[in-house]
Amino acid sequence: MSLLEVRSLRAGYGPVEVLRGIDFHVDEGEVVVILGANGSGKTTTLRALSGMVETSGEVVFDGRSIAGARPEQVAQAGVAHVPQGRGTVTDLTVEENLRLGAYTRRDKEVGTDLERWYEMFPRLAERRQQQAGGMSGGEQQMLAIARAMMARPRLVLLDEPSLGLAPLITQGLFRTLGDMNRDLGTSMLVVEQNATLALAIATRGYVLETGEIVVEGTATELAGNDDVRKAYLGI
Amino acid sequence: MAERARRQRLIVGTVVGLAILGYLLWFPQQQAPADVRLWTTAIYFGIAAMGLNLLTGYNGQVSIGHGAFFGIGAYTTAILVNDHGWSLLATIPVAAALAFVVGVAVGIPALRVKGLYLALVTLGLAVVFPDLTKKFVRGVGGTNLVRVPSASLRPPEWMPGGLQPDQWGFYLALTISLALLGGVWLIVRGRFGRALIAVRDHEAAATTVGVDLARTKVLAFALSALYAGVAGALSVQVTGIANAEKIGTFNLSILFLVAVVIGGTATVFGPLIGGFLVVMIQEQTTDFVADPPFLSGFLSGKEVLSPAIFGIMLIVLMYFLPDGIVGGFRRLLRRILTRRQPAEPLGASVAP
Ligand SMILES: Nc1ncnc2c1ncn2[C@@H]1O[C@H](COP(=O)(O)OP(=O)(O)O)[C@@H](O)[C@H]1O
Ligand SMILES: [Mg+2]
């Protein structure tokens, strides 16, 4: 069975329906990407999984239904969310942000994990006592990702990690995401407009258009699909 | 480099802290009872402000009704002492617990509102509270004023060496304020403190890391109420009474908030300093109007002007120290430290 199984998921804002019944799944250890243009409903999809918007449909995580659960319950179940715009707490230091990420944990290994993420992101180690608000966009994105990983999640939801970052930084970031998935086996669901980089680390992918999934397949299939190439790879 | 600066700060902080503590321990031995009572008042204002700072400074919920929780603490203590013969000391935990419970009860419906609306709801609390006491409290001559016997203000038997009631009150308030200061310090550096700040700055981010918004906000509300309740209980030791009037309860609520802001919001020590300043400035402006050092006779008898002078002094203070006393002190310290130390090398590393 899949780690995350989503069936006929609908979601919206008040009377406006954004997701019109989508089905997808993420298997243990996979990186799955959802591609889609601006406004197609990518952010809403992740918000629906995290319990931040009204939904209907089935969401089963690790064999348990999390449909309609509140965001903190979803987090406690083992799903971490790196929101669009990063969501770092600007008045906390880098280290406090990371410790905040471990909010749901009660074990004694938080310190060990801190060091691990400092090793992975030396930039954060240099700035541990600095307020997160003073950092560049790339550094804040690293912090947001490291903070999500501090929860030791089984699944990480990433909302357009490339947004607003310089191409070189984005490349480094995706390489790190690939490493994390390979080394720790953490499953990831990434929504992106930057298809090239996302498909490079993904196992499978879906294409979302105005709230419906129109194409699905392996990363290689998607990269070879003509429509996908035209719309998202700019070829 | 950063390590050395931190050690320096720790040493300076310890020395300054011990010096202040030494002075405070010596203070009541030397001063007139009225001055000791004034300083005790400053300390319990600081306690109420410390609690309000947890709510408003760290958690971003503005309350202009904490005079009511102060009143709950004061009435709990005064009634238990006067009507039930408790020792004043023993009433303090009860006052704290009751304020906490009422804080939970008010905090839960307050979850529905934010910002200005929350301020208005808490204002309602300050307005309703005096009416409730008038309805339910049977004090002196049927009023809502409860007076405790002066014998109850004496130190307990087990206290050493002939302390006067005012000296006892001072040491009691000082001890409790230090314990509660330690409480704030532990809270803001720990898991709950990070949650408070995350909820204030970014609710969505807080919930996605697993913070329960409702529980965090209600607990912040209740803790701040507890601090105000303890302050109210201590006020009985100083004034010998519990009382609540419309203007008085509202005024207290505002003064607590003012103390937080001028001391430094979301700082550990700021509210204590702010509480001290609010009490002292108020005292000075009242004295000043009653007995002006210059303009002889021009201001005397115009006590109505003292709030205006108080207000002007606050505005001047906030103009020069927009981030409060502690914020201003930090900037000063940083300027001194950076002048003495060579700048750290920049940009030595590359993003992964
Ligand atoms: N808070 C909101 N309230 C109402 N409509 C929204 C809100 N957020 C997004 N939408 C609408 O939902 C649709 C999908 O948005 P979103 O999920 O953010 O798309 P994407 O992340 O793919 O750019 C858009 O038409 C957008 O206007
Ligand atoms: Mg989006």
Side-chain angles (χ1 to χ4, degrees):
Chain A
M1 200 175 53
S2 302
L3 179 64
L4 178 74
E5 186 77 52
V6 177
R7 275 187 294 267
S8 12
L9 180 67
R10 294 171 178 273
Y13 305 89
V16 187
E17 189 176 67
V18 175
L19 299 181
R20 306 192 232 159
I22 60 174
D23 300 75
F24 62 94
H25 64 98
V26 180
D27 288 338
E28 191 88 54
E30 269 192 319
V31 176
V32 172
V33 58
I34 297 180
L35 300 174
N38 231 343
S40 58
K42 301 184 298 297
T43 296
T44 307
T45 304
L46 297 193
R47 282 192 185 146
L49 298 178
S50 272
M52 297 161 87
V53 291
E54 286 289 312
T55 59
S56 71
E58 279 178 59
V59 182
V60 179
F61 177 71
D62 196 20
R64 284 197 310 152
S65 169
I66 54 165
R70 289 198 309 270
E72 68 270 17
Q73 294 170 326
V74 177
Q76 274 148 16
V79 181
H81 189 151
V82 180
Q84 188 171 316
R86 289 136 206 161
T88 49
V89 182
T90 51
D91 270 5
L92 290 181
T93 63
V94 168
E95 181 139 335
E96 286 169 331
N97 264 285
L98 292 176
R99 287 189 181 277
L100 181 67
Y103 187 81
T104 52
R105 288 173 53 181
R106 292 294 196 178
D107 60 281
K108 299 252 180 290
E109 289 171 29
V110 172
T112 324
D113 282 17
L114 265 182
E115 292 313 317
R116 174 203 302 199
W117 295 111
Y118 282 144
E119 222 166 275
M120 191 79 136
F121 299 107
R123 253 316 223 279
L124 299 182
E126 290 164 28
R127 284 161 173 58
R128 23 174 111 191
Q129 301 303 337
Q130 272 182 36
Q131 297 206 325
M135 300 199 305
S136 72
E139 289 163 347
Q140 293 207 25
Q141 188 63 267
M142 291 174 207
L143 178 58
I145 291 168
R147 185 179 72 187
M149 295 304 292
M150 282 298 293
R152 291 197 174 173
R154 300 193 50 201
L155 173 67
V156 186
L157 312 176
L158 291 131
D159 196 341
E160 292 206 52
S162 73
L163 201 71
L165 302 186
L168 217 59
I169 308 252
T170 313
Q171 271 177 29
L173 201 67
F174 271 90
R175 205 162 48 237
T176 311
L177 289 175
D179 291 349
M180 278 162 39
N181 169 255
R182 197 193 55 227
D183 298 347
L184 300 169
T186 312
S187 310
M188 298 181 187
L189 177 62
V190 190
V191 306
E192 259 299 342
Q193 292 194 60
N194 190 333
T196 320
L197 286 170
L199 286 174
I201 63 163
T203 340
R204 292 183 303 107
Y206 300 84
V207 176
L208 191 64
E209 252 176 49
T210 53
E212 284 175 286
I213 285 178
V214 291
V215 183
E216 64 174 284
T218 64
T220 333
E221 282 167 4
L222 287 187
N225 181 300
D226 279 343
D227 295 337
V228 174
R229 287 162 72 94
K230 266 203 219 87
Y232 303 103
L233 297 173
I235 302 169
Chain B
M1 189 69 74
E3 195 51 43
R4 219 186 78 194
R6 193 133 23 109
R7 260 227 313 280
Q8 264 182 4
R9 272 217 315 262
L10 191 69
I11 292 169
V12 172
T14 311
V15 170
V16 171
L18 285 177
I20 292 176
L21 189 63
Y23 179 73
L24 287 175
L25 287 175
W26 166 84
F27 180 83
Q29 303 298 331
Q30 300 300 318
Q31 303 293 324
D35 284 333
V36 176
R37 281 198 296 274
L38 183 66
W39 279 54
T40 312
T41 306
I43 294 173
Y44 71 66
F45 258 71
I47 292 175
M50 268 197 276
L52 187 57
N53 184 41
L54 281 177
L55 181 72
T56 301
Y58 286 100
N59 197 219
Q61 304 189 67
V62 176
S63 164
I64 45 178
H66 268 50
F69 296 113
F70 180 92
I72 287 171
Y75 273 107
T76 305
T77 291
I79 290 172
L80 286 176
V81 168
N82 192 52
D83 301 359
H84 303 276
W86 285 45
S87 88
L88 194 144
L89 190 57
T91 67
I92 295 175
V94 182
L98 196 62
F100 182 89
V101 170
V102 177
V104 172
V106 177
I108 291 172
L111 283 173
R112 299 173 161 275
V113 289
K114 277 185 191 179
L116 190 58
Y117 297 100
L118 177 63
L120 287 175
V121 168
T122 54
L123 170 64
L125 188 67
V127 172
V128 170
F129 180 73
D131 289 339
L132 290 177
T133 61
K134 282 182 186 127
K135 196 144 187 249
F136 295 109
V137 175
R138 293 278 155 270
V140 179
T143 65
N144 66 338
L145 187 147
V146 178
R147 187 183 300 283
V148 299
S150 56
S152 66
L153 303 180
R154 289 201 208 107
E157 314 272 289
W158 47 264
M159 273 304 287
L163 280 181
Q164 294 302 306
D166 57 273
Q167 295 172 325
W168 157 243
F170 180 91
Y171 288 125
L172 179 65
L174 183 63
T175 309
I176 291 176
S177 73
L178 289 178
L180 292 178
L181 180 72
V184 168
W185 193 84
L186 285 178
I187 287 171
V188 303
R189 264 162 192 68
R191 181 170 178 272
F192 183 60
R194 290 190 288 273
L196 285 179
I197 295 173
V199 167
R200 178 194 68 191
D201 285 358
H202 207 311
E203 280 196 4
T207 58
T208 51
V209 297
V211 175
D212 186 330
L213 279 186
R215 261 184 60 183
T216 305
K217 286 183 170 184
V218 171
L219 194 52
F221 211 95
L223 275 174
S224 68
L226 181 150
Y227 275 65
V230 171
L234 288 169
S235 76
V236 177
Q237 171 70 39
V238 176
T239 60
I241 60 167
N243 192 17
E245 299 161 62
K246 278 248 146 68
I247 302 293
T249 306
F250 174 63
N251 203 19
L252 266 181
S253 307
I254 296 294
L255 288 178
F256 295 155
L257 203 56
V258 168
V260 172
V261 174
I262 65 175
T265 38
T267 63
V268 173
F269 291 98
L272 266 184
I273 299 169
F276 184 85
L277 282 176
V278 162
V279 170
M280 293 303 161
I281 294 175
Q282 257 212 327
E283 176 74 9
Q284 291 304 315
T285 48
T286 316
D287 277 3
F288 180 82
V289 173
D291 182 18
F294 50 95
L295 306 166
S296 59
F298 178 71
L299 280 172
S300 60
K302 299 191 176 71
E303 275 77 16
V304 285
L305 281 179
S306 67
I309 297 177
F310 179 67
I312 290 167
M313 291 193 63
L314 289 182
I315 291 168
V316 170
L317 206 59
M318 288 318 292
Y319 180 78
F320 287 108
L321 296 167
D323 44 358
I325 304 281
V326 169
F329 180 72
R330 272 198 197 137
R331 265 182 292 139
L332 184 74
L333 206 64
R334 206 172 306 141
R335 206 179 296 168
I336 294 168
L337 285 177
T338 47
R339 198 182 297 151
R340 284 224 330 260
Q341 291 173 354
E344 295 187 33
L346 287 172
S349 67
V350 186

